[in-house]
Amino acid sequence: MPSNAEIAKDTIEQFKKIQRYMAVAKKEEAKETYAVLKEEYLALKALLNVIGVNLIDIDTIKE
């Protein structure tokens, strides 16, 4: 079973990746793609909040 640190590290990496994809989707005006990515972004953001990760420095989307 993964440790809390491993879970946090993996989730942070996923969170950062989703934000990159969201930025590209927004730039390309891919509204449906952005909406799907936003669902994943919000789920990851909620998980990170639950495990106590400070999002101030890593949340570039701020939604």
Side-chain angles (χ1 to χ4, degrees), residues 3-50:
S3 69
N4 286 346
E6 291 170 327
I7 293 169
K9 181 180 181 281
D10 181 55
T11 306
I12 288 167
E13 289 172 2
Q14 291 177 44
F15 187 71
K16 290 168 77 175
K17 185 189 301 185
I18 289 294
Q19 289 186 103
R20 284 193 305 269
Y21 293 152
M22 288 175 75
V24 171
K26 190 170 193 172
K27 182 179 177 184
E28 294 178 348
E29 298 181 20
K31 293 177 183 176
E32 289 182 45
T33 302
Y34 188 88
V36 171
L37 290 168
K38 186 174 178 182
E39 289 177 21
E40 184 70 15
Y41 161 83
L42 292 173
L44 290 168
K45 187 173 182 175
L47 177 58
L48 289 169
N49 277 319
V50 166

Side-chain angles (χ1 to χ4, degrees), residues 15 19 34 41 45 55-63:
F15 187 71
Q19 289 186 103
Y34 188 88
Y41 161 83
K45 187 173 182 175
L55 298 174
I56 291 173
D57 292 333
I58 64 170
D59 188 1
T60 60
I61 302 295
K62 312 269 192 242
E63 285 190 23

